[in-house]
Amino acid sequence: MNTKVTINQLATGVPGLDQILGGGLPEFSFNLIMGLPGSGKTTLAHQMMFALATRDRPALFFTTLGEPSVKMLRYQQQFSYFDLNKINESIRYVNLSDDIASNKLEQVLARIAQEVEASSPAMVFIDSISSFMRESQHRPDGTISLQQFIQQLGMLLSGWQITSFLIGEYLAEREPNPVLTLADGLLLLEQNIYRNSMVRKIQVIKMRGQSTRPGLHTFRITSTGIEIFPPAIVHVDAGDVTAASRLAHQKMRLAMGVPHLDEMLGGGLPSGYSLLVAGPSGSGKTILATAFLSEGVRRGEPGVIVAFEQTPSRSWIFTLDDMIKRGKIGLINTRTMDLSIDEIVHLLSNLIHQMKATRVVIDSLSGFELAVAPTFREDFRESLFRMITILSGLGVTVLMTSELEDRYVDLRFSPYGSAFLTDAIIVQRYIEMDSCLKRVMAVVKVRASKHSKDIREFEITDDGIIIGDPIFDYEGLLSGQPKQILNTNTGVRGKP
């Protein structure tokens, strides 16, 4: 005989919240939503209430000494989740200001019990419980204490089998109080402001009876309400788990769309690889990335480009514009200064699944770092590693561009020390020849694959990138029959 009690989970209607809660909100739980003013507590409560409330499962929302119900509703109507038809049908507001002003917690408790008995709600919200805390300090002698009030309130709501929410301005690090002790669930909302950016985060401190996602999770408040961005988890489809299918996937090579570049890569870029194209400004990184996406469309392989530059390159705007309009290439072009890595990965993953994309371009890592909120930049390298891992798990092939300062005297791959994170690297740079700057490129690495070691000159024309002959004949040196080479210091050709 199974005596285990099953706890039903309620879908909150807040994107991302059910995931971090461990599947949903436990029914009949006694919850506290806490955070400083402006952190989104009331918005979160209303979004859940409008998603869950029905005629058969009504909700009761108690307001206290804070903003009046009319004022609260005026602002809540600005969100798309607001449904005017639910007011007084499945959602009812009750103001407790007069009862709280009496300084008698028994009277407040009696009023709540009276309204609950009259409405038989499935959900109860009290905004804000902080008002009780402040007023309880001035209660007359002989009245119940705040702890007794909270205990009796919890027993009342639990006895009626009600899912309840107390909203208060608390922080997790404060001294324990009756509310924190008795609550089944604790949700902490916070906001971090740094210069011109603000990042909002939510943490599930406690949720009895189920396993939750640990840590702080970023969220955003828009006209649709709150959207939470939990860290992405890579799910492998059952049909892709065999060793044979993985090996076949790795053996596939993608054409780059630039003549001779496939040859330099050893037959094209292995499917599922991450490629870093590094070079100084104007060296042709974005043009190469554009060719990569265009070639994919020509072969029936949809792609996605994520643009973080403040001024997007005209080269891909004109070249890819028609393909973007036809839905062959997806575009994420963001200018916000408060992005988190998890939000970017969320947007990108959704677009990849929606378009069934196989190619992804991130242009560029330099702009990516600037787009990420300053509070996340100190962990940028670790975040970049996580993003590449997630994209690799999705099976897409990723090309990333990286801006490098060309000092003409050394060769570097990435300003973040992140070259080791990628499977392949192409470096572009300038050399001085006959008082002119010439562009050259080389394939630095392709994991588990033979590739050309030539440094080749290339030009950017109206038809795209044209790769020329090697300026240094490594293969000839190995065979003992070197061709002419170019001295990059003098621009003079001669034998080695």
Side-chain angles (χ1 to χ4, degrees), residues 375-386:
T375 55
F376 296 109
R377 289 178 193 166
E378 59 183 17
D379 299 324
F380 182 75
R381 189 182 182 196
E382 291 78 4
S383 300
L384 183 60
F385 172 75
R386 188 169 77 249

Side-chain angles (χ1 to χ4, degrees), residues 50-69:
F50 276 95
L52 292 169
T54 64
R55 183 174 294 181
D56 297 328
R57 294 177 49 83
L60 195 57
F61 198 104
F62 291 100
T63 59
T64 57
L65 295 178
E67 53 188 346
S69 302

Side-chain angles (χ1 to χ4, degrees), residues 282-285 287 428 439 458-466:
S283 61
K285 302 182 299 296
I287 295 177
Q428 298 174 336
R439 297 181 177 93
F458 71 95
E459 295 182 357
I460 298 176
T461 69
D462 292 340
D463 297 323
I465 292 177
I466 305 297

Side-chain angles (χ1 to χ4, degrees), residues 30 58 82-83 110 246 343 363 433 466:
F30 186 58
F82 184 88
D83 186 355
R246 286 197 299 266
E343 182 175 357
D363 188 28
M433 268 178 49
I466 305 297

Side-chain angles (χ1 to χ4, degrees), residues 18 45 62 76 109 125 134 207 248 250 252 373 394 400 403 414 491:
D18 293 345
F62 291 100
Q76 289 300 315
L109 192 62
F125 298 80
R134 290 189 293 267
M207 190 59 64
Q250 291 172 357
M252 294 175 57
L394 294 175
M400 299 173 289
E403 183 80 15
S414 169

Side-chain angles (χ1 to χ4, degrees), residues 349-363:
S349 300
N350 285 348
L351 193 53
I352 289 171
H353 286 299
Q354 175 187 330
M355 299 190 61
K356 295 181 171 53
T358 59
R359 301 186 181 211
V360 172
V361 165
I362 298 176
D363 188 28

Side-chain angles (χ1 to χ4, degrees), residues 468-495:
D469 295 329
I471 64 171
F472 197 95
D473 184 20
Y474 286 100
E475 301 297 336
L477 287 175
L478 292 175
S479 64
Q481 297 178 340
K483 300 176 184 178
Q484 286 188 326
I485 62 170
L486 176 69
N487 187 312
T488 56
N489 295 319
T490 64
V492 177
R493 291 188 183 274
K495 295 234 174 185

Side-chain angles (χ1 to χ4, degrees), residues 168-323:
E169 297 173 2
Y170 308 113
L171 292 177
E173 61 268 16
R174 290 190 177 182
E175 291 296 324
N177 58 58
V179 184
L180 301 180
T181 303
L182 295 174
D184 300 313
L186 296 176
L187 301 179
L188 173 64
L189 281 66
E190 61 181 54
Q191 53 188 6
N192 299 318
I193 299 176
Y194 182 82
R195 294 183 180 176
N196 295 327
S197 67
M198 179 176 67
V199 176
R200 300 179 186 271
K201 299 180 181 180
I202 183 171
Q203 180 181 9
V204 183
I205 296 177
K206 175 174 72 170
M207 190 59 64
R208 286 179 176 142
Q210 60 193 47
S211 177
T212 62
R213 290 267 194 101
L216 293 168
H217 309 282
T218 56
F219 71 92
R220 186 178 294 278
I221 301 178
T222 66
S223 60
T224 61
I226 286 178
E227 183 175 7
I228 301 170
F229 307 102
I233 296 179
V234 178
H235 299 283
V236 180
D237 295 334
D240 292 335
V241 297
T242 65
S245 64
R246 286 197 299 266
L247 183 60
H249 184 67
Q250 291 172 357
K251 286 185 177 180
M252 294 175 57
R253 296 271 181 158
L254 301 186
M256 295 297 297
V258 177
H260 303 302
L261 185 54
D262 293 343
E263 173 189 340
M264 294 176 65
L265 288 166
L269 182 63
S271 178
Y273 269 33
S274 56
L275 167 65
L276 176 66
V277 180
S281 177
S283 61
K285 302 182 299 296
T286 301
I287 295 177
L288 192 155
T290 302
F292 174 71
L293 287 177
S294 300
E295 182 68 13
V297 172
R298 192 178 73 82
R299 294 173 177 266
E301 302 167 3
V304 172
I305 182 169
V306 189
F308 293 106
E309 299 294 343
Q310 293 300 312
T311 306
S313 171
R314 292 182 178 272
S315 60
W316 68 256
I317 289 179
F318 292 125
T319 306
L320 303 181
D321 184 61
D322 180 63
M323 287 178 272

